[in-house]
Each structure stands twice: as C-alpha cells, then as structure tokens.
Amino acid sequence: MSLQTLSEWLRCPNCFLPLSPAGPLTLRCGAGHSFDVNKRGYVSLAGGARRLIGDSVAMVDARALFLETGWYEPLRSRLAERVAAENPSRVMDIGCGTGYYLQGVFALCPDARALGMDLSPVAIRRTVSGRDNVDGLVADVWSPLPVRDASADVILNVFAPRNPSEFHRVLREDGLLVVVVPQASHLQELWASGLALDVPANKGEHLSEALSPAFELETRNELSYSLRLNLAQASALIGMGPSAHHTDVDALTDHLSGVQTVTASFELLGYRRITI
C-alpha cells in the first residue's frame, strides 16, 4: 500500500479539501480533519453512512465462490474490452465488490491504477488484498463522494447504485462511465420460483434518462446466455446479491435440486461525460 497514491484520489468528506499523508497510517486535510488508514490498504470515509448496510461476510463469500466458477467471465471480458478502448490510466470501480471486474480490466490495461469503492469493508478488503495497483475506499455512493474532481478517466458501475452528479464531477472531461445492469429476463427462473428479486423492464432506458443531460449514451451491448448451475453455485448466485436480504439462503436446499438452468442477461452501457 502507498499512502501517497491513495491520498491522490481523495478529498476530505467534511470540508472537501484534498487529503494528504500525515503519518504512517493517517490522512489529513488542510483544515485539520484526520482519518485513519487501515493497515490492509484502505480508508473508511463513510461517515454517517455507517448506519447503512453493506454486503456481509456471507454475501462477499458467496460472490467470490460464484465468480470463481467463471460463469460471468463473458461479461467481464466484454466490460474489459470496452474500458481498454479508452486506454485509461486511472479507473474507479464504484460498488467494486470483490474486485472481479477490475481484474479483467487490469488484464488488458496492466499499467492502469484503480480506486475500488464500496460500502462494505469486507468487500474492500477483498478488492485490495495482494494488489499494489488498487487503492480502497469505504464510502456511501449516495453522499458527496470523498473523491477529488476529475480524478478518473473511467468509472465502472456493475450492478451498483449510481450518483449521476457525483460521477460527473469525479470523471475527467470526456471521461467514460461504464454501467452494467440486468435485463428483465436476468435470473428469471429463480425469481419465478420466488428465490430472487425480479428486474424492472426497460432498466437501461430509465438509466439513460436519469443520467441525462450530464452523460450521453455512446454504446449499448446486450449479452445473454444460459447457466447450468449445481446446487452450490445456484445458492451462491442467490446469496451474493440483493436477493440475499430477502431469501433464507440456508433453506434453499428445500427449493433447489439437481442442475439448475438459469438465464443470465445483461446490458453493458457506455456513457460519455458531457460538459454542462
């Protein structure tokens, strides 16, 4: 971990002044606000957002287990190709989870540096673990981001909440916002059985409306394929996402048996930042 590289992303969440190293594990702004940096390589600037619930250890473990199966590798590859076309040097992953999609980006952009941001400290620990090119930030996407203006070339936002005005601020001029949202048929076999939350129709169209006029839709790609999941994989898929808050994952064995065929269906949307 480099405290200097971490600080170069960040501003104070209280007064918005830049943060700088002020000791082995401390960041401080010019107004004297100080923040402790975890020795594992990340800082929490969530403030009052600590009352909100980030992903639990069980959810992060489920995500890691499922993603290791490779079922979402086609999505990761498509996402990495879109990002690599920008030749970015600084990438933010907002709602980074375990850092799975960032690793796909690094495979094509080995010289890039990234900031992984999530509300879950557990997820951030996974993202930064053993990775010298990733800095970690625990923060709430709904609040003013503790990130400096124009500090990223590309923002990734994969199945995560969005803050359009703040995304616009922290992206450089003409920067790229890449968003992945599920299509209405995503996991339809699971939600038809009451095991997952359904997806609203036309989610991509509604997103474009919400991001206008700060962002212009530049590219749109659909990706859909079938997954053949065993019981452990299906349980992990349900347990890693928002459905985990509404489903007794431990009781899934009463509802799942054998191999499950499940639809994976995504939209990958590329938005260009517009000066407003």
Side-chain angles (χ1 to χ4, degrees):
M1 177 197 68
S2 167
L3 208 62
Q4 181 61 44
T5 59
L6 173 61
S7 69
E8 288 171 357
W9 291 100
L10 303 177
R11 69 178 192 175
C12 177
N14 300 320
C15 63
F16 303 151
L17 291 175
L19 290 174
S20 301
L25 289 173
T26 303
L27 296 176
R28 183 175 297 133
C29 71
H33 300 116
S34 295
F35 304 92
D36 294 331
V37 177
N38 188 286
K39 63 183 180 181
R40 295 179 178 176
Y42 67 89
V43 63
S44 177
L45 302 177
R50 291 171 188 161
R51 68 183 183 277
L52 301 176
I53 300 175
D55 288 354
S56 65
V57 173
M59 292 175 70
V60 174
D61 285 345
R63 180 173 291 111
L65 175 64
F66 179 79
L67 294 175
E68 285 170 2
T69 67
W71 283 117
Y72 278 11
E73 177 59 32
L75 173 61
R76 179 165 74 167
S77 296
R78 188 77 62 87
L79 176 66
E81 290 169 0
R82 180 66 186 92
V83 173
E86 297 291 303
N87 192 28
S89 59
R90 294 173 66 81
V91 177
M92 284 186 63
D93 187 351
I94 299 182
C96 60
T98 61
Y100 177 79
Y101 298 100
L102 269 181
Q103 292 310 299
V105 170
F106 287 136
L108 300 183
C109 307
D111 297 326
R113 182 154 199 95
L115 177 69
M117 180 185 132
D118 204 286
L119 185 59
S120 168
V122 180
I124 290 296
R125 286 198 294 270
R126 299 288 180 92
T127 294
V128 303
S129 178
R131 298 163 182 164
D132 293 334
N133 52 357
V134 184
D135 299 301
L137 169 65
V138 177
D140 173 24
V141 72
W142 301 115
S143 300
L145 301 182
V147 177
R148 301 186 192 191
D149 295 359
S151 57
D153 302 314
V154 174
I155 290 177
L156 307 183
N157 185 257
V158 183
F159 311 126
R162 291 161 293 276
N163 187 329
S165 61
E166 284 295 278
F167 287 9
H168 186 270
R169 181 183 63 78
V170 302
L171 264 179
R172 65 163 171 80
E173 185 177 354
D174 295 327
L176 180 71
L177 168 63
V178 182
V179 182
V180 176
V181 295
Q183 296 195 84
S185 59
H186 185 58
L187 308 186
Q188 59 186 356
E189 297 82 3
L190 295 179
W191 55 255
S193 300
L195 299 175
L197 301 178
D198 61 345
V199 179
N202 303 316
K203 193 163 186 174
E205 294 179 14
H206 296 156
L207 173 61
S208 295
E209 293 174 3
L211 292 174
S212 177
F215 293 91
E216 181 178 31
L217 180 62
E218 188 172 84
T219 58
R220 176 179 177 271
N221 294 283
E222 296 183 359
L223 183 62
S224 185
Y225 52 94
S226 295
L227 316 177
R228 288 184 56 78
L229 308 178
N230 60 32
L231 176 60
Q233 293 168 350
S235 296
L237 176 58
I238 295 167
M240 76 183 199
S243 298
H245 295 298
H246 307 275
T247 304
D248 184 355
V249 179
D250 292 333
L252 287 176
T253 52
D254 295 334
H255 303 278
L256 297 172
S257 62
V259 174
Q260 308 291 314
T261 299
V262 177
T263 301
S265 186
F266 318 102
E267 279 188 281
L268 196 157
L269 305 158
Y271 294 92
R272 187 66 59 185
R273 181 189 186 277
I274 299 173
T275 300
I276 53 176

